[in-house]
Amino acid sequence: MNLAPTYKYLFRISIRSLMLVYLWLIGITLILPALFSLISGTIGDFSLANQLSSQQFSIVAGFFLFFYFSLNDNHFNFLIQNGIGRKTYWLGKLLVAGVTILIIEAINLVYLYAIYLPIAGTGNSSDTLQISYEGNPVASSMLSLLYGHYTGNELLDYVLTTIVVLFGLASITALGMAVGSIMSLFSRRMKLIIIIGTPIFLIVLAIYISNLNIHLFSTTWIYDFAKVIVGAGAHPVEEHFNPFAPMVSGTIFIAIMLFVSRYFNLKLKVRTD
Amino acid sequence: MYLQVAKQIEEAIFMNGFSEGDQVPSTTEISRQFHINPATVLKGMNILVSEEIIEKHRGLGMFVKKNAQERIRMKRQNEFFDDYVSGMVVEAQKLKLTEKQLIEMIERGYEKNE
Amino acid sequence: MSSIEIKNVTKQFGKKEVLAGLNFKLEPNKIYGLLGRNGAGKSTLLSIMTNRIPLTSGTVTVDGESIQNNDKILQKMYLMSEVSLYNSRLRVFQVFNETDKMYGKFDFDLANRLAGEFGLDLNARIGKLSTGYRTIFKVLVAMGVSAEYIFLDEPTLGLDANHRDLFYKELMESYANRPRTFVISTHLIEEVANLVEHVLIIKNGKILIDSGVDETLAKAHTVTGPEADVDSYTAGLNVIGHDSLGKIKANYVFGDMDDKILPDTVSIESMDLQKLFINLTNEGEN
């Protein structure tokens, strides 16, 4: 198994792509508005603090993880051309995904403490930790609200929430890997049909579900099952969620997704269509 | 193919392209120049070695042996009858030339070349 | 150094059988010619041998180990294929670097020198190269890579006569300097006839010939003369094709001759590889 060069190759591309995404993000959220202000002559009103969002890095990172790790063909083609088999590719990809998640989380924290809070946040407020939850990745303001008070110990709650966030990112990534590996079974044309068809199907499904009586829905086993997964108690609206529940359910989910992704990854072949 | 390689080198030596004691091009050089598999070239070379036309100097390459030209001449004289005379007689018979006419023609050929 | 063994390999695309049970062995440090008409299954076979696509049944092994996802074995092989598996935005020198990182010991001296001789710009993006230069680029990677088995699928596609000449020269030199196995799949049989040591001829997904070039040609004869004489002389022999001009006929025989007395009017000559190939792989015959 030739894991080291495989890992290095995949890691280099992954990081380069991530940086590119961040650059675009900065360009669109900061530089572009600044340019507009400059052109329209309202640069005096331009405020860096107003442009910074606590969420943007997290949301973009989530999308990046899902889509980037669903891609296969280019990487597989390059590796098989260079005598690297599917097993090594999958393992290399898994390691890169893990490291990328950690890097993303680190960037989020650095962004939060070094940029967002000093500029846009409440700065020296005693409630820093409380606010910092809101800056955590992917819808974490909601997550911190839900999971951030479980033990009552601020530091412990903070660490637990961060771990929950990491599990969330890992789940998104694993889902992307599984979906991507299944997609790679199909020809380019089939892929296109699926990519266009899936959102339409989801919209139709959403409309259908929204027409259902939500109270009816809330009494079904699905609702109970969902509560167990996320760690909600009997009265989810009033109680704090148990952060260990999503860790357990996340582990199970990730394991299943990785199993699926590995299974279909071993079926990869060079496509000429 | 290797017979052709041997023949070509032999011809070159006979026509004085390489004199006695000269080094003949290496297998690689011939292989590269004429797009011939080195194994084939080596086979051809080995025929010439067994016919004592060239010899291997360890670590240096192949060299034309002493008296190589003489040896080639002897060999070719031996082959002359099979290679030319028999075929010529068969062709002459096809053309309905008599033996006398054929001899006359050979004599004419000699006169022309004098 | 070990040999590659192909056993009962079949490949179906849907209901179409492309390879119908192939058996052969590739030995170290030989140059093989893989010959077959368009659609005979050459590229499919090479893709299977390098684990790019799955096989339907059979095995490809090296020292008894399957090649399936086996990096140790796969890294002994390099396939230069018609389809490029590199990102087309990469530049030539970057592919050299990447190949060095994956296989190790890339021969930069050779690749860079050849780039100069062929006139290939090392900074060019590979997606922007013309057909001929794309081939040259691929050839250079294949020549520089440190693998022991190099498979070249149509290595002269789009090359002009001068570049083909240069390629064959450099191939021979590189082979002499660093012996390794080459498998050359090509349509230009005449050009590689003296360069390959062993031929594999594929027809309809089956191996028709698997033997040394000399041995193969030793069995190939052209019998020429008046039609009736030729036909009676070659009766009972394995006649694989014929040509005729007026009443003079040439029968192409592949296999042993018998000890019938040769009539004066009939002559036997050898056959070149191209002629043999054409006659063996003509549709409807044999």
Side-chain angles (χ1 to χ4, degrees):
Chain A
M1 195 167 264
N2 220 336
L3 192 58
T6 308
Y7 171 81
K8 281 181 199 160
Y9 173 77
L10 292 173
F11 181 71
R12 243 182 312 139
I13 312 180
S14 161
I15 289 306
R16 205 181 300 153
S17 309
L18 180 65
M19 291 308 142
L20 207 65
V21 167
Y22 279 153
L23 279 180
W24 272 99
L25 181 67
I26 292 169
I28 290 172
T29 58
L30 281 183
I31 299 172
L32 223 55
L35 276 178
F36 279 136
S37 316
L38 200 66
I39 293 166
S40 59
T42 55
I43 191 73
D45 300 336
F46 183 78
S47 144
L48 195 60
N50 286 344
Q51 293 302 326
L52 289 178
S53 146
S54 65
Q55 300 290 312
Q56 58 196 25
F57 272 79
S58 322
I59 291 166
V60 166
F63 274 104
F64 173 81
L65 286 171
F66 179 82
F67 286 108
Y68 182 79
F69 287 98
S70 73
L71 299 176
N72 270 324
D73 289 354
N74 279 342
H75 301 156
F76 169 68
N77 282 356
F78 175 84
L79 290 172
I80 198 74
Q81 169 74 80
N82 285 286
I84 303 288
R86 295 155 187 79
K87 286 178 185 165
T88 316
Y89 167 45
W90 184 80
L91 199 58
K93 182 174 181 166
L94 182 66
L95 290 176
V96 169
V99 173
T100 308
I101 290 168
L102 292 178
I103 290 175
I104 283 176
E105 175 67 354
I107 288 175
N108 284 337
L109 294 177
V110 167
Y111 168 74
L112 181 69
Y113 284 107
I115 300 168
Y116 179 72
L117 286 182
I119 295 175
T122 44
N124 294 324
S125 154
S126 59
D127 209 18
T128 303
L129 216 52
Q130 183 77 33
I131 294 161
S132 73
Y133 291 139
E134 302 192 340
N136 257 329
V138 188
S140 60
S141 56
M142 192 180 79
L143 287 181
S144 61
L145 218 63
L146 296 175
Y147 296 105
H149 309 278
Y150 186 68
T151 64
N153 176 326
E154 271 196 357
L155 188 67
L156 191 59
D157 278 339
Y158 177 63
V159 170
L160 285 175
T161 315
T162 306
I163 293 174
V164 169
V165 168
L166 282 174
F167 267 94
L169 293 180
S171 301
I172 291 169
T173 312
L175 180 65
M177 283 175 72
V179 169
S181 68
I182 294 169
M183 289 288 274
S184 60
L185 293 178
F186 301 108
S187 68
R188 190 168 293 185
R189 220 172 111 197
M190 234 358 236
K191 271 182 214 156
L192 211 66
I193 293 172
I194 293 172
I195 289 169
I196 296 171
T198 308
I200 296 172
F201 173 76
L202 287 179
I203 290 168
V204 172
L205 193 72
I207 293 169
Y208 174 73
I209 288 177
S210 67
N211 284 338
L212 289 176
N213 189 331
I214 195 68
H215 291 297
L216 196 80
F217 185 64
S218 69
T219 57
T220 61
W221 64 272
I222 298 177
Y223 180 70
D224 290 334
F225 185 57
K227 280 203 296 190
V228 172
I229 286 177
V230 299
H235 310 286
V237 182
E238 301 102 66
E239 287 173 19
H240 294 304
F241 285 24
N242 180 351
F244 295 101
M247 290 183 202
V248 173
S249 52
T251 304
I252 295 168
F253 177 77
I254 290 167
I256 294 169
M257 288 301 117
L258 291 185
F259 177 82
V260 169
S261 113
R262 190 178 134 95
Y263 179 81
F264 289 109
N265 249 268
L266 293 190
K267 293 190 182 301
L268 279 174
K269 56 185 177 184
V270 169
R271 296 206 153 275
T272 46
D273 50 27
Chain B
M1 188 58 209
Y2 60 94
L3 292 173
Q4 274 178 47
V5 173
K7 192 131 192 117
Q8 293 283 328
I9 302 172
E10 183 193 290
E11 180 72 14
I13 293 170
F14 189 63
M15 300 303 286
N16 238 333
F18 307 107
S19 321
E20 289 170 13
D22 276 2
Q23 186 173 8
V24 293
S26 72
T27 311
T28 314
E29 276 173 72
I30 294 173
S31 159
R32 179 190 150 91
Q33 201 58 42
F34 300 101
H35 314 158
I36 302 170
N37 192 296
T40 312
V41 179
L42 198 65
K43 242 167 143 183
M45 293 269 210
N46 284 337
I47 291 176
L48 295 180
V49 171
S50 70
E51 286 176 350
E52 302 195 12
I53 291 165
I54 58 175
E55 60 187 347
K56 195 173 185 171
H57 290 188
R58 265 196 184 283
L60 294 172
M62 296 286 195
F63 290 83
V64 181
K65 255 190 126 170
K66 233 183 150 196
N67 297 329
Q69 274 196 351
E70 188 55 33
R71 220 169 270 118
I72 296 169
R73 185 175 301 118
M74 297 271 284
K75 187 183 105 179
R76 290 200 176 181
Q77 279 177 6
N78 290 335
E79 289 165 356
F80 187 73
F81 183 84
D82 286 339
D83 286 355
Y84 296 93
V85 180
S86 330
M88 181 170 74
V89 171
V90 170
E91 184 67 11
Q93 281 168 341
K94 262 196 213 164
L95 300 173
K96 300 204 162 55
L97 289 168
T98 64
E99 188 181 337
K100 208 179 146 216
Q101 280 172 311
L102 184 59
I103 293 170
E104 272 175 22
M105 278 173 142
I106 291 170
E107 282 170 350
R108 213 177 341 142
Y110 268 104
E111 279 164 27
K112 225 176 151 184
N113 251 339
E114 255 165 33
Chain C
M1 291 297 258
S2 25
S3 46
I4 305 179
E5 250 187 293
I6 284 82
K7 272 193 201 150
N8 302 318
V9 166
T10 66
K11 176 68 184 174
Q12 292 182 342
F13 287 118
K15 278 185 182 164
K16 195 171 166 249
E17 189 170 56
V18 180
L19 300 178
L22 301 186
N23 287 288
F24 63 93
K25 217 172 163 176
L26 292 179
E27 271 154 21
N29 301 342
K30 273 191 175 181
I31 303 184
Y32 290 83
L34 177 61
L35 312 176
R37 301 187 62 180
N38 285 331
K42 291 170 292 177
S43 299
T44 304
L45 173 63
L46 293 175
S47 286
I48 284 175
M49 286 168 63
T50 48
N51 201 210
R52 287 188 180 186
I53 57 172
L55 38 68
T56 305
S57 68
T59 56
V60 180
T61 54
V62 176
D63 291 335
E65 274 186 63
S66 166
I67 59 151
Q68 178 72 16
N69 292 323
N70 190 332
D71 298 355
K72 196 181 79 201
I73 294 174
L74 292 177
Q75 291 226 305
K76 290 183 179 181
M77 308 178 186
Y78 183 87
L79 166 58
M80 167 202 166
S81 53
E82 213 195 316
V83 280
S84 171
L85 300 190
Y86 298 107
N87 184 334
S88 59
R89 287 176 47 77
L90 285 176
R91 297 175 194 279
V92 173
F93 78 91
Q94 288 175 320
V95 177
F96 290 175
N97 289 340
E98 296 290 357
T99 309
D100 178 55
K101 280 181 192 147
M102 303 310 281
Y103 279 95
K105 291 188 197 149
F106 187 80
D107 192 343
F108 286 101
D109 291 343
L110 177 68
N112 291 339
R113 177 174 67 77
L114 291 183
E117 291 197 23
F118 280 104
L120 173 69
D121 178 10
L122 289 173
N123 284 310
R125 286 193 197 279
I126 59 173
K128 298 222 163 136
L129 296 171
S130 65
T131 311
Y133 274 102
R134 203 165 57 225
T135 300
I136 290 168
F137 150 72
K138 289 193 282 188
V139 162
L140 298 202
V141 182
M143 300 269 268
V145 73
S146 59
E148 293 167 21
Y149 285 86
I150 312 292
F151 305 119
L152 304 171
D153 195 359
E154 294 293 344
T156 52
L157 194 78
L159 298 194
D160 63 22
N162 302 43
H163 279 162
R164 288 207 301 276
D165 181 66
L166 185 58
F167 163 66
Y168 296 129
K169 279 192 163 88
E170 294 297 340
L171 178 67
M172 286 297 99
E173 185 163 323
S174 170
Y175 172 65
N177 292 339
R178 181 158 61 91
R180 50 208 193 275
T181 306
F182 284 98
V183 177
I184 306 173
S185 153
T186 183
H187 289 104
L188 302 175
I189 297 167
E190 236 169 353
E191 294 186 357
V192 299
N194 295 327
L195 201 123
V196 302
E197 197 177 338
H198 196 104
V199 278
L200 294 161
I201 298 181
I202 305 193
K203 185 185 180 183
N204 298 335
K206 288 201 179 89
I207 296 274
L208 211 55
I209 304 277
D210 172 12
S211 68
V213 176
D214 287 336
E215 298 161 52
T216 310
L217 291 181
K219 288 198 286 180
H221 314 277
T222 311
V223 181
T224 320
E227 193 172 344
D229 295 355
V230 167
D231 282 344
S232 73
Y233 182 73
T234 57
L237 299 177
N238 181 25
V239 178
I240 55 172
H242 64 85
D243 277 320
S244 36
L245 187 67
K247 281 181 179 158
I248 298 295
K249 191 178 178 193
N251 270 359
Y252 301 110
V253 177
F254 186 67
D256 296 330
M257 305 296 276
D258 50 22
D259 8 297
K260 243 181 269 170
I261 296 156
L262 185 72
D264 287 348
T265 50
V266 175
S267 67
I268 300 181
E269 278 155 33
S270 58
M271 207 191 304
D272 64 32
L273 193 60
Q274 172 136 320
K275 197 93 195 163
L276 175 66
F277 173 80
I278 291 172
N279 282 296
L280 278 175
T281 57
N282 257 341
E283 287 307 321
E285 291 190 68
N286 192 28

